[in-house]
Structures are given as structure tokens and as C-alpha cells.
Amino acid sequence: MPTEKKIGSASDCISAMVDGSELKKVRSNSRIYHRYFLLDADMQSLRWEPSKKESEKAKIDVKSIKEVRTGKNTDTFRTNGTYDQISEDCAFSIIFGENYESLDLVANTADVANIWVTGLRYLISYGKHTLNIIESSQNNMRLSWLGELFDETDSSNSKEITILGAVQLVKKLNPGLKNVKIELKFKELHKAKDKAGSDVTKEEFIEVFHDLCTRPEIYFLFVQFSSNKEFLDTKDLMIFLEAEQGMAQVSEDISLEVIQKYEPSKEGQLNGWLSLDGFTNYLLSPECHIFDPEHKAVCQDMNQPLSHYYISASHNTYLIEDQFRGPSDVTGYIRALKMGCRSVELDVWDGPDNEPVIYTGHTMTSQIAFRSVIDVVNKYAFVASEFPLILCLENHCSLKQQKVMFQHLKKILGDKLQLDPPKPEDCYLPSPFELKRKILLKGKKLSSNCTASEGEVTDEDEGAEMSQRMSMESGEQQTVAPKKFKLSKDLSDLVTLCKSVEFKDFSTSFQSQKQWELCSFNEVFASRCASDFPGDFVNYNKKFLARVYPSPMRIDSSNMNPQDFWKCGCQIVAMNYQTPGLMMDLNIGWFRQNGNCGYVLRPAIMREQVSYFSANTKDSVPGVSPQLLHIKIISGQNFPKPKGSGAKGDVVDPYFQINLPELAMVRFVVLDDDYIGDEFIGQYTIPFECLQTGFRHVPLQSLTGEVLPHTLLFVHVAITNRRGGGKPHKRGLSVRKGKRNREYASMRVLLIKAVDDVFRTALLPLREATDLRENMQNAIVSFKELCGLSAVANLKQCILALSPRLTGPDNSPLVVFNLTDQYPNLEPQGLLPEVLKKVVSTYDMVIQTSKTLLENSEGMYERILQTQKAAMEFHENLNDLAVKEGLKGRKLNKAVESFTWNITILKGQADLLKHARGEVQENLKQIHYAALTCNLSKGGPVGSSSGSESKCRRSLDTIPEKASGEEELTDEDN
């Protein structure tokens, strides 16, 4: 089959099937056979060769095909030894015959699989009339829409327009296309027709538009959800919006709004139909951007203490190149502040004419006037964000010029300066909300009992440290001797909530550090703390602000990985904003998640006083349910294709387990391997929490962060415990575990009898809660597999998929849902075939486990919370209790750590149980809704029965394959 041919219509698919292609036939016991499959010209039979059978037996009658199922969603696939080696996108199954036998096939590419699936589904819907239907209806909405556009351009009614006009018209409809490419397509068409002139007819314009602007991957998706294969009606679109795009409470009115907004043809707008072009417009719209629009504005609680947030920070903000010889410029501050940066650095030294200047001391960087920088700060401080800005003041000035600094700060910044002193009785810093539009000065401060106009403090000089490191021949750490310098009281009084102090060790800080005191950590030292004291570092940052600055060895202004320190809870990780690349991409991407305001609330487990989190953990976090992320890269638009790739580029299916979703990010990078070293094309970095599920477009950005016009990745995203992403094709998204292999939450022993006795009371409810959740989830996964759907398909999809099989030949239901009870049961309306008996029994297990969870979860939830409450009563006196039990040193520390571990487990397991309860209630609503939609509720159809088949027999339709005890499909290959 010629894969280079661009498929954009049903007739293309049928034609390719008649030509035939090689497919792999998968059997049980890891057996795979290569066969050539083709559709008979009369479209009545599907044949394969070579075969030892008579030619009349090596075929399947099209009319016997019940369903075409995508992915590896049959028992044959699931039990085959090569399951993991088979691409989900290339696999499909044909369910046929009265016994619902399955023919399981694997194509060489996803394109070829899509061609067969699409063509066969047309044949199932329209049979021998398929071609007539295609010819009579194909692209009618597109033809009328493009015809009107052409006629508007053809103002002289000459039936032709200039090639320039035609190029501009195509370009207007698809701005990402290059003019040269469009013009070349018209010239190729004229050459093929031996046409003399260069003017373009309506038919030629439509043909070129069809060739250049039809995206096969969107076409295949479109027909998958279209009940009549030519457009999406409001019900088709409802299923897509809910099942794939994760939209909640979708109605036909919402579908109609989407159609009115994105459908270009008048016919489609009048009838409520979304054409392929309207569907493409919708998928390219901001609504289908991968970034969740809720995060474009401030969406997090801004009333927590300042130390509970990550704060976007700049290092040596005044530099626009490297930090040893580079130029200094106020544009560095303008750029950082416009990007939402909330912590900028001012390295201030004595300058000429009694005017302080800013530059990196002991280096060859150029100088800028302190006053100019303060003017810029005053102008741009709150342009991108209204939340507090921290000025990190590294003061190296004489007392005389400190007086000038003070005057500039007071006169220029005025009321913006935060001058209210901290209240000694407060345990935490004020919140970003309380400090809105305030500028905080971070710097050295005289002791509170100093009454003189000046005093002596320890110098803080990162530049000197860098200069010494530059002169060292070895790479060993060298201690920089602290120097003393005179500080004016006026300047000292401007520092209120961010007093710079030296860090000694964690135990000293826990005992004596005040909440308004802030320590700066060299990157190397911070890394050592993260490695040697991961738990202490996290606990330290629950109360105090910590700033991490780059190693002095980074003379080229390269950047450290900010995630190395965010996972320790460090709030202010100072980045060289002037240096683009991976690390800066991570920083920019991270701070997008809260309206780009420069503040991101840290995960609850890193804020709560009693919670366990270690910075260097590699396993799942206690009390936090890991999320599984599946991303399929489908296609790329308007950038060079990697060498040797197929029509859509290589399909990639990354598959991640995310242990702490709130700390995770996803980065898309496109490289062109035509170049040695993989030439960079574009990237996009997004926090995990901002991902939207379903089919999404990713706007790529340049190395320096600018959006590349019309340069997009088309992807599919699925995440456990999140709406949408209906068919990610990974069974691993919900793994069934029997009780024997089940992992239960583990509690730790403190060796403090009274406390251990309390925690022991939770062991049974924790175990029972896990069983409740996993029994329910396992039953649902079994039901989905029986329906031929993947693990994160929702129950509404399952009922819609099964509905054709639940209805007899005369449209009378074989089973009905009794919706009078809270738990809708399936009631047979007579004798059922074996396959339907299996459906009913599996569904009954879903209802039974769901009912058990709802009826028992509340009591277990209360028991778990009671244990947590009782245990917390020991928290204040835990150290004293441990000492009484003879615990000291490492054993004492271990007991405290075990206490926080257990409390975290209890909180997390209670949350999981609460989530499972909500999941069951949502499932019951979906079953109820789907039963009504498909006219399968007890008491007969709701409303008119006409059109009920079109409501439910969609491309999502699946019919249960035969019961596992029945004989397999037999052929000569056995």
C-alpha cells in the first residue's frame, strides 16, 4: 500500500484497501503470521493470502463483521507473548460472525491501520452502498464553503482567478503554509493537466486545498467519532468533548456553541453539523491548547505565608551576557520584571560623583547607575504581577554612598517599600496577598538593640567568591573569609521581612532562626544539604525562606537545574535570565502555572507542619497516589520533518509514572537530525498540573522563548484520575492486582508504646479501605476490557459501545437498566447468549463493588481520621515521650520521622478513599445517563425511539468478543 499517498477521504481508504497491504495476523501463544490482505473490488469480502485454505474460505464476508476495534483490546492480544512489542497505534481487531470471533491484525504503520479501520467502519455502516454514499455526500460542506470563497474572490465572474489570488486565498485559510509550497502545488497540477495558462479554476483551487489542508490524522479521528462519517452532529461532538477532551457536563447546547464558533460552512452552521474543516479549526483553537486556560490567571491560594511559595528569581539581573566580562544594562531588569520575576539582584558599589553603581565586583563587567535601576524597578515592578517584589541588595558601599542609596530608594519607591516591622509573636511571614504591590528589601540588618546611626555587619560578596574560584587551580571548595563592613541604620531599617543571615546548620536554625531571616545557599552547598539532609532541608523550608544562587564556577552564566532545589522546598532559586536553554525553559514553564505572577504554591506535603517528604525520594510519596501519564506524539505542523520519518513523523509514546504530580514538568523538544548534533527546532515546557487531556496542540517556542508562528505538535494526553484522554491504549493506566499481590500502606513503628498503640488502630481500616478501592477499580477494568475499551475509558463510553449488542434485531432490548434503584441493575428480558451473560455478570460485579464501597467508606474514613486526630495529641510532647522510652540520638530522630510518615499515610489514604467515593458516584451518573441516551432504561424508550440506533451505534461501538471458553478462530495457520 503506498503510504506516501495522503489519505483525506473515505474513497482514498477504500481504494487503498482494494490495492491491499501486508498485515501481521496475531494468534495465541505468541504466533504471528505475515499475510497480504485486500478488499474485493465488489467490497463484499475481505481476503488474505497466501493461504492453504480454498480461496472461498480464506476470507471474511463484510456483512458478517460486527465491529472493528482499535488497539490491543482483545483476549488474543492481551494474552499474546509479544504484547509489549506490538504498537498500540498499529493494532486493530475485526470482530465477526455469530460467535463473535476476532481477527487480530497489526499494520506496519499507524497510517495503514487507520486506513483499514476507517474503510471497514464505512463498510459496516453502509455495506454495498458505501461508494454511492461517499460520492453523493463527500465533502459537500467543504465544496459549498470553498466554492463561495472562490466566487467572492472571482469578482469579475470569469470562473478563474489569478494564481497569486489563489495562493493568497489558501494562505488565508491555512496561515502556516508557505507561499512557495502553495504556488508549486498549483503549477504541478497545471503541468499534470498540460494546461497552458496560469489562472486557477474553482475545481483546481478546491483540489489544491484538499491536498494541502487535509490532515490525515485529524480525518481519521473525525470519522472515529462521526456516526454517519461525513460530519459530527451535536451528539457525536458531545461524546468527543466529554470522553476525550475531559469537558464536564456537556450538553447539546454546548456542542452547538462549538459548531457555531468553528464551522466555516453555512450549511453546517444551519444544521448543527461540524465538518472536517470545522473540526480542524476547533482542534487548532486556544480551547484545544495543551495548557489549561484556568492556569492563565492566578488560580492558587495567595493567603499562605510567603515561605510556602516558590518565587521566580533572577541572579545578577543587571547582566545581559556572562558574569565575568559581560556588559551590565538596565534592560536586564526590564526583561526579568516583564517575565514575572519577583526577586532581582542589585550588587551595589561606590561609584563616581558620589553616585552608587551596580556591577559584579572583582570582575570586568561594566557598570550602571544605581539610581537608573531603581527608576526601572519603580516603573516595571508590578507590570506583570501585583505580588511582592524582593530586591536582593548586596551592599558594598561606603557610609557616604549608602546615604545616597537610601535617599534614592525612599524618594523613588516611596510607599511601595514594605517598612512595617515583623511582629515577634508571629510564627510565619505575611502572605503574598497581604504584601500586594509591596517591594521588600533583602539585605544585612543591624541588631535590634543598635541605636547608633551605623554598625558593623558581615559582608555578603558572591563576586569575591567567584573571583577567588577563578584564581584557584584546583576544583576544591575554598572557604571565603567573612569580612566586616559598616552599615548605616537608615538603610538597615529598610530591611524588614528579608534579613540576610549566615546559615550554620539545621539544628541551629530550627532553634534560633527567626521567620523573617533569610539564608542564601551556594548551589554546591545546597546540593550537599539536599544529599546529606533531605528531610531536614524540606522541613527547614516549611518555615524559612531559602535562596539558592549559582556556583561561582559558572562564569559563562550557565544555569543550574532549578528542580534540584525546588524538590527540597527552596523558594528562591536564582537563575541567569540572560542565558537561554533547558534550565531556563524549566523555570519559565514552571511559573506559568499560576497566571505567571511569579509565585507558585508548594505541594501541601511540603507545607504541612506534620508531613513526611524527603528531597531525594525515588519511590512513590507516602499518602500521595502516583499518577500515570501517557503522551502520544501524533504529528508536527510547519517544521522540518526528521530524516527518514513517515508521512506524519515518528510516533512516540512516552509513558511516565509521576510520584508527586505537583512537582513534575513535561518538556517537548523537536530536533532535526539532518544536522550533526541534532539541530534544535523548538520546545515547550509545561507543569504537569497544567496539562489538558485529550487531543491537544502544543505551540513550540524558540531557544530564547519566542513563540514560533504556526509551529505545532499534535498530541494525545491521558492521565489517571483526570477526566478525558478517553483511549490512551495502555492497560498499565489501571493495573489489576489480586489480594495476594496487593500493596497495602505501611505504618512505621516508633518504639514509643502509647503512640504505636494508637497508630495500630488504623491498620485494619487502612487495609479494608485499600481492598474497597482496588476491588471496585478491578471490576471496572474487567468491564472495560470486555467492552473492548482501554482502562481509562469512562463508563458512559462502555454503555454506548455495548448498546448495539444489547438490542435485538427488531430494536427491542435484550437487557434493560433498572434506574429506579440507586444502583442501576441490568435485567435480562429473556434468554441471553453466553457473551451477553458474561457482560451482565461482569457489570453486576461493578455494581456490587461500587455499592460496597459507598456503604462502607464513610465509616472507614472516620476511623482513619480518628486515629490521625488521636495521634496528633502526642505531637507537642513527642520528644519527651521518646526520651522517657530511652530513645536518643539517631533513634530519637527516627521516631520523629516515623511519626510524620504515619501521619502522612493516614492523610493520604483518607483522601484516596474520599476520591474513590466521588468516583463511584460519578460512575453511577454516567451509567444512568447512557442508559437513557440509548433507550435501554426499564419501562421502554424515553421519548421517540426513532434515531435511537444513530444515537448509540457510533464509531466507539464495540461488541464483546466471544467468551473465553469458546473455540478460537481456526484456519490453516494452526
Side-chain angles (χ1 to χ4, degrees):
M1 184 179 295
T3 54
E4 67 274 5
K5 176 173 172 55
K6 194 171 183 180
I7 302 293
S9 68
S11 55
D12 289 342
C13 294
I14 299 295
S15 175
M17 290 164 66
V18 170
D19 289 340
S21 61
E22 184 183 88
L23 302 172
K24 299 183 190 80
K25 184 160 63 164
V26 178
R27 304 301 311 283
S28 57
N29 302 322
S30 305
R31 290 175 297 180
I32 294 180
Y33 304 94
H34 293 259
R35 296 289 180 262
Y36 197 82
F37 284 77
L38 66 162
L39 179 68
D40 278 354
D42 62 3
M43 298 187 299
Q44 299 298 299
S45 303
L46 174 65
R47 299 180 181 274
W48 60 90
E49 54 189 36
S51 173
K52 296 175 184 176
K53 286 184 175 184
E54 298 174 19
S55 60
E56 287 306 303
K57 292 186 178 178
K59 70 171 187 176
I60 295 175
D61 288 337
V62 169
K63 62 185 177 184
S64 74
I65 299 176
K66 309 292 187 184
E67 173 209 343
V68 182
R69 188 178 296 180
T70 57
K72 301 179 288 187
N73 288 312
T74 65
D75 281 343
T76 302
F77 271 125
R78 283 190 285 263
T79 58
N80 191 281
T82 60
Y83 180 90
D84 292 332
Q85 282 78 53
I86 296 172
S87 166
E88 190 77 39
D89 298 300
C90 297
F92 65 101
S93 300
I94 300 170
I95 313 297
F96 67 99
E98 293 306 313
N99 292 325
Y100 298 91
E101 300 160 307
S102 71
L103 176 61
D104 301 288
L105 304 168
V106 181
N108 291 328
T109 68
D111 274 342
V112 173
N114 278 324
I115 287 167
W116 281 96
V117 169
T118 301
L120 287 169
R121 284 177 171 169
Y122 263 94
L123 292 169
I124 292 172
S125 296
Y126 300 116
K128 62 184 180 181
H129 304 296
T130 297
L131 282 183
N132 294 334
I133 294 291
I134 291 169
E135 289 170 6
S136 65
S137 62
Q138 185 181 24
N139 294 330
N140 275 346
M141 291 160 70
R142 173 180 278 185
L143 292 175
S144 62
W145 164 57
L146 292 177
E148 288 176 8
L149 289 176
F150 184 91
D151 292 340
E152 290 172 10
T153 307
D154 179 21
S155 54
S156 61
N157 201 27
S158 62
K159 308 299 181 187
E160 289 188 331
I161 59 176
T162 65
I163 192 168
L164 178 61
V167 168
Q168 289 174 339
L169 189 51
V170 173
K171 176 84 171 178
K172 180 182 177 182
L173 300 174
N174 192 335
L177 288 173
K178 291 183 169 58
N179 287 12
V180 174
K181 183 176 181 179
I182 305 170
E183 186 175 348
L184 182 62
K185 200 72 177 176
F186 279 117
K187 288 179 177 177
E188 287 175 352
L189 184 61
H190 288 164
K191 185 177 180 181
K193 293 182 176 180
D194 291 328
K195 183 174 177 179
S198 62
D199 286 352
V200 175
T201 66
K202 183 185 293 186
E203 291 72 24
E204 291 166 346
F205 164 67
I206 291 172
E207 185 175 344
V208 167
F209 177 87
H210 181 81
D211 286 348
L212 291 179
C213 301
T214 303
R215 288 174 51 183
E217 73 277 23
I218 291 183
Y219 169 73
F220 290 133
L221 178 62
F222 174 78
V223 296
Q224 179 186 338
F225 282 87
S226 170
S227 50
N228 66 9
K229 306 294 185 286
E230 299 308 320
F231 53 77
L232 299 177
D233 62 23
T234 51
K235 293 184 178 65
D236 295 330
L237 189 55
M238 279 174 65
I239 292 177
F240 177 77
L241 294 176
E242 181 174 80
E244 286 294 353
Q245 305 305 84
M247 198 179 284
Q249 298 177 323
V250 185
S251 64
E252 287 194 62
D253 286 342
I254 288 174
S255 289
L256 203 56
E257 286 176 16
V258 172
I259 291 168
Q260 297 296 333
K261 190 172 181 179
Y262 297 107
E263 174 53 42
S265 73
K266 291 177 182 174
E267 181 185 2
Q269 291 174 10
L270 288 171
N271 291 296
W273 297 339
L274 192 68
S275 69
L276 175 59
D277 296 300
F279 188 54
T280 304
N281 289 342
Y282 166 68
L283 289 174
L284 284 167
S285 73
E287 290 182 49
C288 290
H289 191 297
I290 195 168
F291 189 91
D292 186 341
E294 285 188 13
H295 290 269
K296 289 186 176 179
V298 174
C299 56
Q300 296 178 343
D301 178 9
M302 301 305 289
N303 290 296
Q304 299 278 328
L306 205 63
S307 56
H308 286 189
Y309 297 84
Y310 296 112
I311 303 173
S312 180
S314 166
H315 175 246
N316 287 354
T317 316
Y318 44 89
L319 294 179
I320 54 176
E321 287 180 20
D322 73 72
Q323 61 184 19
F324 192 70
R325 296 180 178 83
S328 304
D329 199 286
V330 292
T331 57
Y333 291 93
I334 296 172
R335 174 186 57 207
L337 292 171
K338 280 186 171 181
M339 290 171 70
C341 181
R342 295 290 83 196
S343 173
V344 296
E345 189 173 4
L346 297 85
D347 201 347
V348 196
W349 299 81
D350 281 354
D353 304 321
N354 203 32
E355 281 292 339
V357 293
I358 290 178
Y359 73 104
T360 304
H362 317 286
T363 69
M364 293 176 276
T365 58
S366 62
Q367 304 176 358
I368 46 176
F370 175 77
R371 177 173 185 164
S372 301
V373 171
I374 301 304
D375 278 331
V376 163
V377 167
N378 183 55
K379 184 176 180 181
Y380 292 96
F382 304 109
V383 167
S385 171
E386 63 181 353
F387 294 105
L389 172 67
I390 300 172
L391 300 186
C392 295
L393 201 64
E394 238 184 80
N395 174 18
H396 310 285
C397 289
S398 61
L399 286 171
K400 184 179 180 183
Q401 294 210 11
Q402 285 183 38
K403 184 176 180 180
V404 178
M405 286 172 60
F406 171 78
Q407 290 169 346
H408 289 332
L409 287 165
K410 285 286 288 182
K411 183 177 180 181
I412 297 171
L413 299 181
D415 292 341
K416 292 189 179 82
L417 285 170
Q418 165 62 28
L419 299 178
D420 294 336
K423 298 174 183 175
E425 67 272 16
D426 289 345
C427 295
Y428 287 96
L429 290 166
S431 69
F433 183 82
E434 293 173 286
L435 296 170
K436 274 167 67 170
R437 305 192 71 82
K438 286 294 183 180
I439 295 176
L440 283 59
L441 219 59
K442 170 207 167 279
K444 289 292 181 178
K445 188 172 177 65
L446 298 173
S447 62
S448 57
N449 57 7
C450 179
T451 56
S453 61
E454 63 187 63
E456 201 170 63
V457 294
T458 306
D459 192 11
E460 201 176 12
D461 193 347
E462 294 170 18
E465 186 183 357
M466 183 185 71
S467 181
Q468 289 190 31
R469 296 283 294 182
M470 283 287 292
S471 64
M472 287 169 57
E473 292 183 359
S474 70
E476 293 298 314
Q477 180 76 33
Q478 178 175 322
T479 304
V480 180
K483 293 188 296 184
K484 299 283 187 178
F485 84 107
K486 295 281 188 181
L487 174 64
S488 78
K489 190 170 188 305
D490 283 343
L491 206 54
S492 169
D493 288 345
L494 296 184
V495 176
T496 54
L497 298 178
C498 295
K499 176 186 176 182
S500 292
V501 295
E502 186 182 357
F503 178 83
K504 291 184 173 63
D505 54 61
F506 287 114
S507 59
T508 303
S509 293
F510 289 140
Q511 290 172 13
S512 60
Q513 188 172 336
K514 306 294 188 294
Q515 76 272 15
W516 60 83
E517 294 178 336
L518 182 157
C519 294
S520 289
F521 295 79
N522 177 300
E523 168 194 352
V524 176
F525 180 68
S527 296
R528 192 179 305 144
C529 289
S531 174
D532 297 346
F533 310 100
D536 286 341
F537 210 177
V538 171
N539 287 331
Y540 173 85
N541 289 319
K542 288 179 180 178
K543 184 173 182 181
F544 307 115
L545 283 172
R547 173 177 170 269
V548 181
Y549 61 91
S551 162
M553 289 302 288
R554 295 184 182 273
I555 58 171
D556 59 350
S557 290
S558 60
N559 274 310
M560 54 192 166
N561 185 342
Q563 282 193 307
D564 290 342
F565 306 104
W566 290 335
K567 71 180 182 182
C568 304
C570 298
Q571 300 88 347
I572 305 173
V573 181
M575 304 291 286
N576 288 305
Y577 270 55
Q578 72 273 27
T579 308
L582 166 61
M583 302 314 171
M584 200 57 206
D585 292 342
L586 293 175
N587 191 74
I588 293 170
W590 183 248
F591 285 101
R592 284 195 184 109
Q593 64 184 291
N594 192 27
N596 207 38
C597 74
Y599 286 81
V600 168
L601 188 62
R602 296 187 304 157
I605 200 170
M606 299 176 75
R607 305 191 313 266
E608 293 166 345
Q609 185 184 7
V610 182
S611 61
Y612 179 86
F613 181 75
S614 174
N616 61 7
T617 183
K618 297 292 188 293
D619 303 316
S620 57
V621 179
V624 178
S625 179
Q627 298 271 326
L628 290 169
L629 167 67
H630 178 258
I631 296 178
K632 179 168 72 173
I633 309 295
I634 302 172
S635 65
Q637 308 302 313
N638 305 316
F639 58 79
K641 287 185 170 58
K643 186 178 179 182
S645 68
K648 296 188 301 187
D650 297 326
V651 174
V652 183
D653 287 307
Y655 183 49
F656 310 100
Q657 174 169 308
I658 314 295
N659 288 331
L660 187 57
E662 292 169 281
L663 276 184
M665 278 193 284
V666 178
R667 186 171 188 256
F668 299 88
V669 185
V670 179
L671 305 171
D672 188 344
D673 65 5
D674 272 350
Y675 291 83
I676 296 172
D678 288 335
E679 189 73 6
F680 178 89
I681 292 174
Q683 67 83 29
Y684 186 76
T685 308
I686 180 171
F688 179 85
E689 295 290 278
C690 299
L691 287 170
Q692 292 205 93
T693 56
F695 290 92
R696 303 289 170 182
H697 277 96
V698 181
L700 293 180
Q701 297 178 337
S702 71
L703 190 64
T704 51
E706 290 86 14
V707 174
L708 299 170
H710 314 297
T711 303
L712 305 163
L713 281 178
F714 188 44
V715 302
H716 181 265
V717 180
I719 302 170
T720 45
N721 301 338
R722 202 177 291 186
R723 283 180 171 274
K727 300 183 75 177
H729 309 310
K730 281 284 182 184
R731 294 179 71 237
L733 282 173
S734 184
V735 180
R736 283 180 293 175
K737 290 181 181 176
K739 286 191 178 182
R740 184 173 297 177
N741 300 318
R742 195 163 283 173
E743 294 175 5
Y744 295 96
S746 59
M747 303 288 278
R748 292 182 178 177
V749 176
L750 280 70
L751 299 178
I752 304 174
K753 185 178 185 304
V755 184
D756 286 332
D757 287 346
V758 170
F759 282 128
R760 202 170 285 119
T761 62
L763 292 177
L764 184 58
L766 285 177
R767 191 178 184 90
E768 290 174 342
T770 300
D771 286 339
L772 279 184
R773 289 189 293 106
E774 300 211 3
N775 289 346
M776 178 270 292
Q777 289 164 356
N778 288 347
I780 289 174
V781 170
S782 296
F783 183 61
K784 290 172 182 176
E785 287 184 352
L786 194 64
C787 297
L789 296 180
S790 58
V792 296
N794 61 41
L795 285 186
K796 183 194 287 187
Q797 286 176 279
C798 290
I799 305 305
L800 292 171
L802 284 175
S803 60
R805 184 57 185 156
L806 301 181
T807 307
D810 58 350
N811 271 345
S812 61
L814 300 176
V815 295
V816 294
F817 291 87
N818 186 344
L819 302 181
T820 58
D821 189 61
Q822 180 186 358
Y823 304 98
N825 291 309
L826 264 182
E827 296 182 357
Q829 302 299 289
L831 288 175
L832 298 178
E834 285 301 315
V835 287
L836 269 192
K837 286 180 182 176
K838 188 175 181 182
V839 169
V840 172
S841 64
T842 309
Y843 174 83
D844 285 347
M845 184 57 69
V846 170
I847 294 300
Q848 180 185 324
T849 54
S850 297
K851 182 178 180 181
T852 303
L853 188 144
L854 276 190
E855 291 179 350
N856 294 280
S857 58
E858 196 165 344
M860 286 180 196
Y861 182 80
E862 289 300 323
R863 286 163 66 192
I864 293 170
L865 289 188
Q866 283 170 10
T867 299
Q868 180 190 328
K869 185 178 178 182
M872 283 301 292
E873 291 180 4
F874 292 103
H875 178 246
E876 293 295 326
N877 303 312
L878 191 62
N879 272 29
D880 294 340
L881 287 170
V883 170
K884 284 180 182 178
E885 293 280 354
L887 302 181
K888 55 185 178 180
R890 291 184 63 184
K891 287 186 177 180
L892 173 61
N893 293 336
K894 191 70 177 176
V896 173
E897 181 183 292
S898 296
F899 181 86
T900 59
W901 170 280
N902 290 351
I903 292 294
T904 305
I905 288 285
L906 293 171
K907 288 178 183 174
Q909 292 296 310
D911 286 345
L912 288 176
L913 195 56
K914 189 176 180 181
H915 176 84
R917 186 178 176 87
E919 185 183 341
V920 167
Q921 290 167 335
E922 172 64 21
N923 287 340
L924 294 174
K925 287 180 189 174
Q926 289 188 7
I927 293 169
H928 193 280
Y929 179 87
L932 292 174
T933 301
C934 294
N935 293 330
L936 289 172
S937 59
K938 188 172 184 179
V942 178
S944 170
S945 62
S946 63
S948 64
E949 185 177 347
S950 69
K951 282 183 184 177
C952 296
R953 186 164 184 85
R954 307 178 181 280
S955 54
L956 284 174
D957 296 353
T958 21
I959 299 167
E961 57 188 298
K962 61 170 184 201
S964 57
E966 296 179 31
E967 287 296 312
E968 287 189 333
L969 169 64
T970 59
D971 66 18
E972 76 287 358
D973 295 326
N974 281 331

